[in-house]
Amino acid sequence: MYKTKVRGVIIEGNKSYGQITRDILAPIDGKTPRWWFITMGIGTLMMLAGMVAIVNTIATGIGTWGLNNSVAWGWGIINFVWWIGIGHAGTAFSIFLLILRQKWRTSINRAAEAMTVFAVICAGLFPALHMGRIWLAFFIFPYPNTRGPLWVNFNSPLFWDVVAISTYFMASATFWYIGMLPDLATIRDKATNKVKKAIYGFFAFGWVGKATSWLRFETTVLILGGLAAPLVIAVHSIVSMDFATSVMAGWHTTVFPPYFVVGAIFSGFAMVLTLMIIIRKVYKYQDYVTDGHLDAIARILTFISLIMGTAYATEIFIAWYSAMEGEMYTFFHNRIAGDHTAAFWTMVTCNVFFPQLFWFKKIRSNIWAVFVISIIINIGMWFERYVIIITSLTKDYLPANWAPYAPSITEVGIFVGTLGIFVIGVLLFLRFVPMMAMSELKGVLKDTMPAKKKAGKTPDDPENKTL
Amino acid sequence: MSKAKNYIVGIFDDHDKLLNGVEATKNEGYKISDVISPYPIHEVIESLNLKTRIPVLALLYGIFAVLVTFGFLYWTSVVDYPLRFGGKPQNTLSFVVVIFVMTINITSAFTIVTFFLREKKGPGAKAHVIDEGLGDDKYAIILDEEEEKTAQQEEYLKQIGAIRIVHDKQK
């Protein structure tokens, strides 16, 4: 049922099984390095800033944000869509590659899934705060109430959002955790410290690694992956429908769902790349996150970037082709030229032009260039959401309603706070959880051993080339 | 409570020895109770002829989820508190979105619960660890102990490459 042929070497350095365990557990067994505390300090400060901003928002109200009657969605929704986009590719990465039986996912999926979980937590904060009276947030759930019972509107994309994002959070968090059980059990077995043994033992859920367990484990993971794959697509399609089902110029288009899904995967892949380069550099995991891995992700990004370019061009073409004045104005006089030119061209440059540099092997193999471009992509994706939300809302159909928008310090504070939460989450993950799936790495080791370890094969066998 | 059973466990340190060992032991006629490995080995699962019904259950959960979600939407929007807005039908096609997502939600949740129930695992569950290397780079073949032939079984496991023999008792 699960047999697949694997191409090439995925783990370099002729590792033995024991060596993999030692390598991956080294950061957990070792002392906490100094940079960890420093980064943790910075992250905590950022989170505290965010908490001040959140308390300010809840105590005073949404009036503390820079919103007005015309621009009712500002940084709150921009950052919500940005985070949920980042949260998407983590799981998209590990799940799509799982279903496509791409074994090179093994050294990256754990970190990608962790990133997903933290990003979705950050994303979920924004709509909750945006409701204004957060203490009445439970109104959005369909429960028998004393107001009729008046049920929620099951045909509203805003309600779909609630269902989809909470489902997505549950699914990606459990998928991540179940995948971790065998590795937590390994830590439990190897631990010499009693407290550590007890804690990891508690979280390992009694895993032993019997053949029957492995069969059920793999089946369950595959089912969860199969279910989560359409979910990933559904969640961002639904987010796009928050926009597309309205009649605002620049929002009311059918291209939105695929455009948003691809955009989400784009920013998520970029974030995975950023994170994996940091992990590789800091923990010296070149043998696991090989040049081949980075090369593969860079190639995928080039392709997705072309899709993004096509989506942008389609929007502009349809605005012109529909001959609808409002659409024409939004695209040609408010984005390409006009008040928001800078944001629009930042978006295009970062998302469409910069990733094209990956066509050159020299750039793909330069780790610093790859790192910088991966960050540029996420900046570009932030500007994409800015362009979509702010250009359409500041200048809608009635010029009398036109209003400028600038974020208040509170809005910026909440964004900084979510960055802090993300940093803290990633740091805790790096310190206390095996950041690569050891059991999966061991599972692919045998089939991907370099040529000289396999009998009867020569080193220059084309089957043994990296990836 | 069932009576404790005796097992003879052969610990191996090589992937290939384990694979050949499992195959040979089966042919020799000893009953393999289970195999422990630090990562999934599909050849072992196949040669022990293990099967799982979790996929069938997941399908049933999915069908159940579709019915329950549609029933709930229909009941709330058509029966319990019908609202007509914009001349649109109360039982609408756009229910599909919520049904789709809730099917994934319910099926995933139920499948996970099934997995843990079937495996008898959960937060804080005690693990019966036979050898501490089994999560790292060691493998184990567990045989049901046959009273008269214990020594013979031990000898056989050693012969197929076990690095040591452990006696184990389990309920």
Side-chain angles (χ1 to χ4, degrees), chain B residues 25-99:
Chain B
T25 314
K26 225 175 59 175
N27 294 338
E28 197 73 12
Y30 293 115
K31 188 163 177 313
I32 298 180
S33 161
D34 218 326
V35 174
I36 296 181
S37 59
Y39 52 90
I41 304 175
H42 301 140
E43 289 87 344
V44 170
I45 292 174
E46 263 167 41
S47 88
L48 293 185
N49 206 11
L50 298 173
K51 294 271 181 320
T52 172
R53 282 163 298 187
I54 291 179
V56 180
L57 283 172
L59 177 68
L60 294 178
Y61 296 150
I63 295 168
F64 167 76
V66 170
L67 294 176
V68 162
T69 313
F70 176 73
F72 179 71
L73 294 179
Y74 188 86
W75 179 72
T76 51
S77 311
V78 182
V79 180
D80 187 50
Y81 202 101
L83 274 176
R84 188 170 286 281
F85 45 90
K88 294 186 184 99
Q90 280 151 347
N91 182 21
T92 86
L93 197 62
S94 61
F95 283 173
V96 152
V97 181
V98 177
I99 294 175

Side-chain angles (χ1 to χ4, degrees), chain B residues 117-133:
Chain B
L117 285 181
R118 196 74 188 80
E119 279 287 300
K120 297 196 181 73
K121 286 183 174 44
K126 279 235 154 50
H128 182 79
V129 181
I130 297 173
D131 185 289
E132 290 180 349

Side-chain angles (χ1 to χ4, degrees), chain A residues 146-173:
Chain A
T146 49
R147 303 184 296 278
L150 189 60
W151 298 98
V152 294
N153 182 1
F154 294 109
N155 301 314
S156 160
L158 297 177
F159 175 72
W160 299 344
D161 242 359
V162 175
V163 180
I165 290 171
S166 38
T167 301
Y168 185 63
F169 177 71
M170 186 218 55
S172 47

Side-chain angles (χ1 to χ4, degrees), chain A residues 120 160-174 227-228 231 235, chain B residues 98 100-109:
Chain A
V120 174
W160 299 344
D161 242 359
V162 175
V163 180
I165 290 171
S166 38
T167 301
Y168 185 63
F169 177 71
M170 186 218 55
S172 47
T174 43
L227 287 167
L231 182 64
V235 172
Chain B
V98 177
F100 182 82
V101 176
M102 282 313 289
T103 303
I104 294 173
N105 186 325
I106 294 172
T107 314
S108 313

Side-chain angles (χ1 to χ4, degrees), chain A residues 131 277 301 321 339 373 389 465:
Chain A
M131 287 179 200
I277 292 176
L301 281 174
Y321 188 66
D339 284 353
I373 293 176
I389 292 170
K465 288 236 171 78

